[in-house]
Amino acid sequence: MRKLLFAAVVFVLFAGCCNKGEQMLAALEEQGIGMQICNQGETSSYSAPGVEDLLYLTANEPERLEGAVVADKRVGKAAASLLIIGKVKTVYTPLVSTPARQMLEQAGIRIHAKEEIPLMVNREGTGLCPMESKLLNAKTAEECVTILRGGQAIGRQMLDMLNEQGLSLLVYSHGTLTTHDNRGVQDLVQLISDHPERLEGAIVADKVIGKAAAALMATGGVKEVHTNVICKAGKELLEGNGILVFATEEVPQILNRDRTTQCPIDSRLNGVESIEECVEILRTMPARP
């Protein structure tokens, strides 16, 4: 009897959610608004173009999205990534793209769409939506959101600046850009020891990233990395710690300056699995002239 009662309650709740979602969809069409969000019985309407409202909400009022039922006129990869970051529960839409549906379902978010298309097109129907085109190669919701917020563009500019000016490391954090030109990982070691706040949540451009640099960046709490060359171990370490990696080239290992054998700094970390142990080894190494 209790099992039957529980099942009945679940059915009623689910049916209520579906009915609310359908009502919100109807409101989009009748009132000409772009998005409605229902959370804890309160419904809010939004009408800014594109994903501007979702960008604002995820950055400033994430509590409005978490666990919410959302109705959105068009859900492409951009909207889907923001809805995932916002931790919504259910999405209703007249139109969804296949990549968006796949992203939402993989994140465990229920999606109810009247129509599905391979890719979201622009409003004139003449080509790919310009916002979606920026996200074609992005693999995760986190990577998509970083691009939407302008992080990737900043990182690319930093890497160009680094190469043009012959620098070794650039760090952008809290609106401030710092430049560094010491060899190896000396600057990263110094930042972690003396100014760890500069690395927390930072965008970093580094000419070459091996396992040593990756361990220091992960320890410092960097959020996004841009580089000319990265080794496989360094990339795996960064991505394993939730850090976005944009690299021009990936190589099996970083070589020394003569390109005859493995970089001596990285070679000291072969077989070392713990990031903390890697950093301790690096801190005890003498500074190179």
Side-chain angles (χ1 to χ4, degrees):
M1 183 66 181
R2 288 181 179 177
K3 288 184 178 180
L4 289 173
L5 179 61
F6 176 75
V9 170
V10 170
F11 176 79
V12 169
L13 290 174
F14 179 74
C17 176
C18 289
N19 290 336
K20 182 61 180 177
E22 295 295 339
Q23 292 169 11
M24 291 163 66
L25 269 184
L28 296 188
E29 298 174 0
E30 294 168 3
Q31 300 176 27
I33 55 180
M35 179 175 68
Q36 277 201 334
I37 297 173
C38 180
N39 200 342
Q40 297 182 346
E42 182 180 342
T43 302
S44 304
S45 300
Y46 303 86
S47 56
V51 294
E52 288 182 21
D53 287 318
L54 284 172
L55 279 168
Y56 175 83
L57 289 169
T58 53
N60 300 287
E61 300 178 27
E63 69 280 358
R64 290 201 178 186
L65 289 170
E66 187 167 358
V69 177
V70 175
D72 198 334
K73 253 183 180 176
R74 290 159 45 104
V75 178
K77 200 171 179 180
S81 63
L82 289 160
L83 292 167
I84 291 168
I85 294 296
K87 300 178 182 178
V88 306
K89 179 176 70 174
T90 310
V91 176
Y92 288 79
T93 184
L95 184 66
V96 70
S97 70
T98 299
R101 175 186 59 76
Q102 292 172 340
M103 287 181 70
L104 290 166
E105 289 179 344
Q106 288 171 6
I109 298 172
R110 292 194 294 273
I111 171 74
H112 302 271
K114 293 183 177 180
E115 182 183 357
E116 180 174 331
I117 56 177
L119 291 170
M120 197 62 67
V121 297
N122 59 24
R123 297 190 183 277
E124 294 76 24
T126 56
L128 190 65
C129 167
M131 189 173 295
E132 299 293 291
S133 66
K134 294 180 180 180
L135 308 180
L136 279 178
N137 297 320
K139 297 178 181 178
T140 66
E142 291 77 12
E143 187 178 346
C144 288
V145 172
T146 296
I147 295 169
L148 291 169
R149 289 175 176 164
Q152 187 182 10
I154 293 171
R156 283 178 174 171
Q157 293 169 13
M158 288 168 61
L159 188 60
D160 289 342
M161 177 181 172
L162 178 141
N163 291 327
E164 290 167 4
Q165 299 186 18
L167 300 167
S168 58
L169 177 74
L170 268 69
V171 178
Y172 180 78
S173 180
H174 309 295
T176 300
L177 178 68
T178 56
T179 62
H180 308 268
D181 57 8
N182 285 314
R183 292 179 60 185
V185 295
Q186 292 178 39
D187 290 316
L188 285 169
V189 171
Q190 186 174 5
L191 284 170
I192 285 177
S193 298
D194 302 335
H195 302 286
E197 73 283 354
R198 292 185 187 174
L199 290 175
E200 183 68 35
I203 300 172
V204 171
D206 196 337
K207 199 165 263 188
V208 177
I209 297 179
K211 185 176 179 179
L216 291 163
M217 290 175 185
T219 298
V222 168
K223 74 172 184 180
E224 181 181 333
V225 170
H226 293 255
T227 184
N228 298 316
V229 182
I230 192 168
C231 72
K232 181 180 178 183
K235 183 179 181 183
E236 290 176 349
L237 190 155
L238 290 169
E239 291 182 337
N241 283 273
I243 299 171
L244 294 174
V245 177
F246 300 93
T248 304
E249 181 183 4
E250 181 180 340
V251 296
Q253 61 181 16
I254 302 300
L255 300 177
N256 61 11
R257 294 185 183 275
D258 300 327
R259 304 187 67 81
T260 55
T261 187
Q262 187 182 15
C263 163
I265 297 176
D266 271 13
S267 67
R268 294 281 297 272
L269 305 182
N270 287 339
V272 180
E273 299 296 333
S274 164
I275 292 178
E276 292 77 14
E277 190 176 349
C278 287
V279 173
E280 190 57 35
I281 292 171
L282 295 169
R283 279 176 167 162
T284 58
M285 289 179 64
R288 299 172 68 186

